[in-house]
Amino acid sequence: MRVGMVLEGGGMRGMYTAGVLDAMMENEIQIDGIVGVSAGTVFGCNYKSKQIGRTIRYNKKYCKDPRYGSFRSLLKSGDVFDKDFCYNQLPKVLDPFDYKTFSENPMEFYATCTDANTGKAVYKRCYNGDDKELEWFRASASMPLVSKVVEIDGGAYLDGGMADSIPIRWIREKGFEKNIVILTRPEGYKKSKNKLLWLMRIVLHKYPNLIKTMKNRHNNYNESLEELYRLQKAGEVFVFSPDHGFDIGRMESNPDKLEAAYRMGKKHAFERLPELRAFLKE
């Protein structure tokens, strides 16, 4: 039986995810495949490269750096996260990503992106984290309105959460029968209509199918949650989610809040470790 893991996006809310993942690595929880969405991709890759602590370390260190998520970067380059800093200097020099371990680890890793032309989700398997695959990572985490469309091999892509925020159906169709899902919203959360859809219609007018996807995103998201909790009740999915009152923004730059979110994720994982092990053995 193959075990998969789904990592929701949510920007810096992903520090919760980082805490859960680090606790799982520390306890040598083995899985066969991961599908990440947005922040779930760029943070979750450290599970395949087996780098405990890397996600929280560099986020706390650089969260106030204007190159690492700021409107200054947005005005200068068109991307709220500076491309060269985040996908070149950071993984290659400042806090090196372990490309060798990532490529040698047989665990499957998929980055979820949204095809801007079709409005549909694309799930790109990444093998070694090279420059080409880093572009897929970047596309997966390129939030609309604050990021430029990422062009890869003639295609145009944006944040994977636009088309499939919680790809539980997809990973099950890939043959992963038991799945761990890490959400970045508390249990009971429901997504509402996008209040900035009017602005997206202006900025992304070249991509009408993308606008249609965003118009219906809240419905798709909430339907995915309903399916997820149904599977949880059936014992086929194990879900982690932050506590109610989870106080952290998508663009959070307070290192203390990042640390608190990370510690919450780690605490939840350690508390539920026996339950998780039992789920994986059944």
Side-chain angles (χ1 to χ4, degrees), residues 55-275:
T55 301
I56 186 62
R57 181 175 63 241
Y58 75 72
N59 275 281
K60 285 184 66 178
K61 184 173 183 178
Y62 296 108
C63 62
K64 291 187 179 297
D65 191 310
R67 297 169 296 177
Y68 189 61
S70 70
F71 285 102
R72 172 178 155 184
S73 175
L74 178 62
L75 292 173
K76 181 180 178 181
S77 67
D79 283 303
V80 71
F81 294 102
D82 183 85
K83 176 184 175 181
D84 179 63
F85 180 78
C86 294
Y87 297 95
N88 184 29
Q89 295 182 48
L90 186 56
K92 296 178 182 178
V93 179
L94 301 175
D95 198 324
F97 180 65
D98 191 341
Y99 296 93
K100 184 174 185 293
T101 298
F102 184 92
S103 61
E104 291 177 351
N105 188 341
M107 178 192 305
E108 297 177 26
F109 188 86
Y110 299 88
T112 307
C113 304
T114 300
D115 187 317
N117 290 303
T118 66
K120 297 184 181 300
V122 173
Y123 311 90
K124 175 65 177 179
R125 184 171 179 181
C126 298
Y127 296 88
N128 51 40
D130 61 14
D131 289 348
K132 182 68 169 291
E133 290 185 352
L134 282 179
E135 283 294 276
W136 285 103
F137 285 19
R138 185 166 74 93
S140 180
S142 289
M143 298 180 289
L145 299 182
V146 294
S147 306
K148 292 187 291 188
V149 170
V150 179
E151 297 183 356
I152 306 173
D153 293 336
Y157 304 93
L158 277 172
D159 193 307
M162 300 170 75
D164 195 356
S165 298
I166 309 170
I168 184 63
R169 292 180 190 139
W170 180 84
I171 200 168
R172 283 166 58 80
E173 289 171 358
K174 286 290 291 183
F176 294 90
E177 297 142 294
K178 285 216 164 188
N179 292 284
I180 302 164
V181 179
I182 306 179
L183 301 176
T184 57
R185 294 285 195 180
E187 185 176 355
Y189 170 80
K190 294 292 183 183
K191 187 173 287 296
S192 55
K193 292 181 179 180
N194 193 312
K195 295 179 181 179
L196 294 176
L197 189 62
W198 65 272
L199 184 56
M200 290 185 182
R201 285 194 173 106
I202 297 171
V203 177
L204 298 168
H205 65 275
K206 293 181 179 179
Y207 306 105
N209 289 324
L210 187 64
I211 300 301
K212 290 179 183 177
T213 295
M214 285 303 296
K215 183 178 180 181
N216 200 43
R217 185 191 177 192
H218 63 292
N219 291 324
N220 292 333
Y221 183 92
N222 294 332
E223 287 172 6
S224 293
L225 277 181
E226 289 177 7
E227 174 74 1
L228 178 65
Y229 291 129
R230 183 189 68 77
L231 292 169
Q232 183 184 32
K233 288 181 180 179
E236 298 179 39
V237 169
F238 193 96
V239 181
F240 285 102
S241 58
D243 295 332
H244 291 279
F246 185 54
D247 182 25
I248 183 170
R250 181 181 287 270
M251 296 291 295
E252 187 62 66
S253 60
N254 183 330
D256 292 334
K257 286 190 175 184
L258 299 182
E259 178 72 24
Y262 173 78
R263 289 188 178 278
M264 181 189 293
K266 220 171 182 188
K267 177 175 179 287
H268 284 182
F270 276 116
E271 287 176 345
R272 300 183 67 195
L273 189 60
E275 184 185 352

